[in-house]
C-alpha cells in the first residue's frame, strides 16, 4: 500500500459558471510545496465532470490548452501529491473520480489511514476492484458503499468516517455539492475561504486562499464536515450556503501534526490560527534558550530553517545573516540515484556565501536530521567556505519512530537517532556542537494554535490511534508490486529534491 505523504487539496464553488480550473491552477501553484510528483484538477459543469491528471509539476501538467479544454463550471477540486518511488504512476494522481449508481464523485485526499490494509481486504472481499495503490481509493469505496444506503453525499461521508482510522483532510465533490472533511484528530490542516462573488473555497493552507483572492473564514474543525451548496430558495445575498455536520467533532483527542509547523506548511500560511512563520521563530528562540553557544553569526538552511534561525538570533543576540544561496531552478528531475549524484545535487542546490562565513563561528539552524547525510554535506560546505566552527541546531526533536499519518518516516532503519547517540551524531555530521528542540518545546512552538493538541508520535512513540496494521500495510504493498519500506525515499531525499 503506497503511503501518501504531504499533499495539498483545494476546492472552489462559485455562484455562476466561471474559469474554476484557473482558480484551481493558481491554488495548486501555491500548494506546490506540499507535493511535486503529480497533480490534477476536476471541473464540475452542472454535474458533468471534466478532468486532467498527470505526473509532474503544476506548471508542466497544466498548459493553457489543457486549462482551456477543462472549460468552465461552478465547481472544481484540485490536488498536488508527493508519493513514493514505487507509486509514481499516473493512475495514483488525484483527484480520484468515481462513477457510481447515484452519480459521480471526485475526491482529493491529504493524509494516510492507519487501517487502510484492513479496510482494503474487507472491501475486496465484498467485490470492490482497486485500480490504484492509494488510501484515497479505500476512502472513496467506503463513501460509495455508504452512499447506496443513505440519502445524501454528506450522510455517506458521515457514515464512512466511522470506519476510517488515521489522517484525512478531504475535498469531496458531487454533482451539486462541495464538501470539506477533516478527521476527528485533525492531523492535517484544512481551511475555508470566501470570494467576493459569494463563492466558497476549501484549501490545505491559507496561502492557497491568497492565491485566488479569497478571504480566510475559518479552519475546518477536527471531525467536521462542511457542506457548500446552493440554498433551496435562491438568495442573491448568500448564493452559496455553508452548513456543518459535527457528529464526529470532539470524539477523539486533537492531534494536529506538529511537523506541519516545523517543515510542511509554507511560512506565510496560518494553520489552525497559528502563523507558521511565528511558530518557527518560537522554535528558534527555544533552541537558543536550551542550547546557548558563543558564535559570530546565525544562518539557516533554506527554506524551512530560515525562520527558526531568525528566532535563534533574536533570542541569543547573535547576528543573523544569509549563509546560503539556494538555486531555485533545481527541481525533482535533477535528482538521480547514487551517492555521488546526491552530493553534486547539494553543491548545486545550496551555495555558501564565503564572505559571510569565512573565519566565523557559525550557528547553523535546520528543521531536522533524518539520515544525517544531508546535514553532513551542508556542514562540509561551510567548512570549505572557511567557517572556523559550525554549531548545528535543529528545530525538531530527534526522529525515533515511523509515522503512519502521512509523514515520510516509515522505518526506524532510516533514522540516524535510532542507531547513534547525540554525541555520535555530532561526530558523524562533523559539527562542533549539536542541539535539538525538545519534545515539550515542539508542542510549545505552536501552542497558540486553536486546535489545542499535537501529534508528536514520530518523536516520542505516543500514537493517537492504533497502528497494528502497519505490518499488513507493507505486506499488502509487496503483494501489489510496491517497494519495501527501505526502498522508499526519506525526508532527507525529499528535501534535496524540492525546488
Amino acid at each position: 500500500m503506497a503511503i501518501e505523504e504531504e499533499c495539498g487539496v483545494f476546492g472552489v464553488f462559485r455562484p455562476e459558471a466561471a474559469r474554476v480550473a484557473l482558480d484551481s491552477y493558481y491554488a495548486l501553484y501555491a500548494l506546490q510545496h506540499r507535493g511535486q510528483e503529480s497533480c490534477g484538477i476536476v471541473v464540475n459543469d452542472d454535474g458533468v465532470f471534466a478532468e486532467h491528471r498527470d505526473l509532474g509539476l503544476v506548471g508542466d501538467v497544466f498548459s493553457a490548452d489543457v486549462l482551456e479544454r477543462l472549460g468552465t463550471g461552478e465547481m472544481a477540486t484540485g490536488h498536488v501529491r508527493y508519493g513514493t518511488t514505487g507509486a509514481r504512476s499516473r493512475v495514483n494522481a488525484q483527484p480520484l473520480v468515481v462513477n457510481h449508481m447515484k452519480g459521480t464523485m471526485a475526491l482529493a485526499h491529504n493524509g494516510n489511514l492507519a487501517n487502510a490494509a484492513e479496510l482494503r481486504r474487507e472491501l475486496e472481499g465484498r467485490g470492490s476492484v482497486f485500480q490504484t495503490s492509494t488510501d484515497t481509493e479505500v476512502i472513496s469505496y467506503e463513501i460509495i458503499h455508504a452512499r447506496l444506503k443513505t440519502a445524501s453525499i454528506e450522510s455517506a461521508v458521515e457514515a464512512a468516517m466511522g470506519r476510517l482510522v488515521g489522517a484525512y483532510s478531504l475535498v469531496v465533490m458531487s454533482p451539486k455539492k462541495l464538501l470539506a472533511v477533516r478527521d476527528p484528530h485533525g492531523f492535517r490542516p484544512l481551511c475555508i475561504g470566501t470570494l467576493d462573488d459569494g463563492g466558497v473555497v476549501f484549501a490545505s493552507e491559507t496561502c492557497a486562499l491568497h492565491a485566488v483572492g479569497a478571504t480566510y473564514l475559518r479552519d475546518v474543525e477536527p471531525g467536521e464536515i462542511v457542506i457548500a451548496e446552493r440554498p433551496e430558495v435562491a438568495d442573491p445575498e448568500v448564493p452559496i450556503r455553508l452548513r456543518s455536520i459535527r457528529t464526529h467533532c470532539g470524539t477523539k483527542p486533537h492531534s494536529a501534526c506538529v511537523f506541519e509547523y516545523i517543515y510542511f506548511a509554507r511560512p506565510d500560511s496560518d494553520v489552525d490560527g497559528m502563523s507558521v512563520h511565528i511558530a518557527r521563530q518560537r522554535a528558534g528562540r527555544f533552541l537558543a534558550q536550551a542550547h546557548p553557544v558563543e558564535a559570530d553569526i546565525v544562518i539557516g538552511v533554506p527554506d524551512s530553517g530560515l525562520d527558526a534561525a531568525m528566532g535563534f538570533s533574536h533570542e541569543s543576540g547573535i547576528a543573523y545573516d544569509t549563509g546560503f544561496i539556494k538555486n531555485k531552478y533545481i527541481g525533482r528531475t535533477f535528482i538521480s540515484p547514487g551517492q555521488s549524484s546526491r552530493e553534486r545535487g547539494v553543491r548545486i542546490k545550496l551555495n555558501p556565501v564565503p564572505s559571510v562565513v569565512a573565519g566565523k563561528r557559525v550557528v547553523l539552524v535546520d528543521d531536522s536530521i533524518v539520515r544525517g547525510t544531508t546535514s553532513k554535506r551542508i556542514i562540509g560546505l561551510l567548512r570549505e567556505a572557511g567557517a572556523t566552527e559550525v554549531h548545528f541546531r535543529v528545530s525538531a526533536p530527534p526522529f525515533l519512530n515511523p509515522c503512519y499519518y502521512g509523514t515520510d518516516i516509515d522505518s526506524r532503519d532510516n533514522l540516524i537517532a535510532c542507531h547513534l547517540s547525540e554525541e555520535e551524531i555530532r561526530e558523524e555530521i562533523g559539527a562542533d556542537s549539536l542541539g535539538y528542540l525538545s519534545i515539550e518545546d515542539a508542542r510549545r512552538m505552536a501552542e497558540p494554535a486553536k486546535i489545542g493538541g499535537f501529534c508528536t508520535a514520530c518523536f516520542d512513540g505516543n500514537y493517537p490511534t492504533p497502528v497494528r496494521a502497519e505490518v499488513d500495510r507493507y505486506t499488502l504493498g509487496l503483494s501489489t508490486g510496491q517497494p519495501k519500506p527501505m526502498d522508499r525515499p526519506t525526508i532527507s531525499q525529499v528535501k534535496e529534491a524540492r525546488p
Side-chain angles (χ1 to χ4, degrees):
M1 194 78 175
I3 290 184
E4 301 229 21
E5 282 79 20
E6 73 262 41
C7 297
V9 300
F10 178 76
V12 56
F13 193 162
R14 285 189 176 271
E16 305 290 342
R19 295 289 300 278
V20 288
L22 204 56
D23 291 333
S24 302
Y25 174 78
Y26 292 137
L28 295 186
Y29 242 122
L31 295 172
Q32 185 75 86
H33 62 286
R34 297 188 69 87
Q36 301 94 43
E37 183 180 277
S38 65
C39 56
I41 295 172
V42 181
V43 172
N44 179 353
D45 182 17
D46 197 23
V48 178
F49 286 33
E51 62 176 294
H52 184 77
R53 300 173 293 147
D54 210 342
L55 298 174
L57 300 174
V58 174
D60 298 327
V61 171
F62 291 101
S63 64
D65 289 343
V66 169
L67 291 170
E68 187 67 30
R69 286 199 300 271
L70 287 172
T72 60
E74 298 85 16
M75 281 185 272
T77 182
H79 188 269
V80 289
R81 179 176 188 261
Y82 173 78
T84 66
T85 302
R88 183 174 167 79
S89 170
R90 183 182 182 278
V91 73
N92 284 336
Q94 296 183 40
L96 185 65
V97 179
V98 183
N99 296 303
H100 57 94
M101 289 178 61
K102 292 192 176 182
T104 305
M105 177 182 73
L107 188 148
H109 169 216
N110 174 210
N112 192 72
L113 298 184
N115 67 334
E118 176 186 346
L119 292 177
R120 180 165 176 147
R121 280 196 299 269
E122 181 182 329
L123 288 164
E124 287 176 331
R126 292 158 59 185
S128 298
V129 178
F130 285 80
Q131 305 297 320
T132 78
S133 58
T134 66
D135 291 4
T136 308
E137 195 171 11
V138 173
I139 296 172
S140 71
Y141 275 126
E142 287 292 343
I143 294 173
I144 290 168
H145 280 292
R147 182 69 180 92
L148 300 178
K149 305 172 185 177
T150 56
S152 65
I153 184 66
E154 60 267 31
S155 57
V157 170
E158 181 183 10
M161 288 175 70
R163 291 175 50 80
L164 306 178
V165 177
Y168 53 92
S169 284
L170 311 173
V171 173
V172 182
M173 185 169 68
S174 74
K176 299 293 184 183
K177 299 173 184 177
L178 189 69
L179 280 62
V181 186
R182 195 173 180 191
D183 70 76
H185 289 280
F187 284 107
R188 298 290 157 209
L190 195 59
C191 63
I192 309 169
T194 57
L195 295 163
D196 290 341
D197 63 359
V200 172
V201 297
F202 302 130
S204 290
E205 293 184 35
T206 57
C207 63
L209 304 185
H210 305 153
V212 298
T215 301
Y216 169 78
L217 180 64
R218 66 177 179 87
D219 291 275
V220 179
E221 295 183 24
E224 186 180 20
I225 304 170
V226 179
I227 306 101
E229 61 187 354
R230 297 186 186 279
E232 293 182 5
V233 179
D235 183 353
E237 297 296 322
V238 187
I240 307 298
R241 181 183 69 166
L242 288 176
R243 59 186 175 90
S244 174
I245 297 175
R246 301 176 54 83
T247 309
H248 294 281
C249 293
T251 60
K252 305 290 183 183
H254 293 176
S255 305
C257 175
V258 75
F259 211 60
E260 289 283 351
Y261 297 95
I262 294 170
Y263 175 62
F264 285 156
R266 245 172 58 167
D268 56 328
S269 286
D270 290 349
V271 174
D272 288 309
M274 177 68 190
S275 163
V276 174
H277 168 72
I278 292 175
R280 290 176 184 168
Q281 284 202 334
R282 284 167 59 86
R285 288 183 178 276
F286 296 152
L287 276 173
Q289 294 167 7
H291 303 285
V293 65
E294 293 290 330
D296 301 307
I297 59 168
V298 179
I299 66 173
V301 178
D303 286 313
S304 51
L306 300 180
D307 296 315
M310 292 177 192
F312 192 103
S313 172
H314 293 160
E315 184 67 23
S316 66
I318 303 171
Y320 172 85
D321 210 332
T322 300
F324 282 102
I325 300 299
K326 181 178 180 180
N327 187 333
K328 298 184 181 299
Y329 301 98
I330 300 297
R332 290 185 62 86
T333 54
F334 174 80
I335 302 301
S336 57
Q339 182 76 5
S340 62
S341 293
R342 286 195 291 269
E343 290 175 356
R344 287 195 299 270
V346 172
R347 288 180 180 274
I348 293 176
K349 183 178 179 180
L350 288 178
N351 299 280
V353 183
S355 61
V356 172
V357 302
K360 302 288 182 60
R361 299 169 296 173
V362 178
V363 177
L364 176 65
V365 183
D366 201 0
D367 58 78
S368 59
I369 303 177
V370 184
R371 293 182 304 163
T373 52
T374 299
S375 302
K376 183 175 183 178
R377 295 182 204 123
I378 292 174
I379 291 171
L381 292 176
L382 289 177
R383 301 278 192 200
E384 292 175 13
T388 59
E389 297 177 11
V390 180
H391 301 276
F392 202 56
R393 297 295 180 264
V394 187
S395 59
F399 288 109
L400 295 171
N401 306 281
C403 174
Y404 306 106
Y405 310 118
T407 301
D408 190 14
I409 305 171
D410 54 31
S411 171
R412 290 182 177 87
D413 296 324
N414 292 323
L415 303 176
I416 191 173
C418 289
H419 308 290
L420 301 179
S421 68
E422 188 170 316
E423 175 59 22
E424 289 170 331
I425 294 172
R426 183 198 65 76
E427 292 181 0
E428 174 66 22
I429 64 177
D432 291 283
S433 69
L434 173 63
Y436 286 96
L437 191 71
S438 69
I439 295 175
E440 178 184 352
D441 284 342
R443 297 191 187 100
R444 287 175 60 210
M445 69 180 284
E447 218 170 38
K450 297 175 183 176
I451 198 166
F454 301 98
C455 177
T456 54
C458 54
F459 308 132
D460 59 20
N462 295 321
Y463 295 103
T465 72
V467 293
R468 59 182 179 276
E470 72 262 23
V471 176
D472 294 335
R473 167 182 297 282
Y474 298 140
T475 301
L476 182 62
L478 292 172
S479 71
T480 56
Q482 299 304 320
K484 297 178 182 179
M486 280 295 291
D487 296 328
R488 303 174 188 224
T490 66
I491 284 182
S492 298
Q493 292 168 319
V494 175
K495 289 164 61 180
E496 290 171 4
R498 279 187 164 176

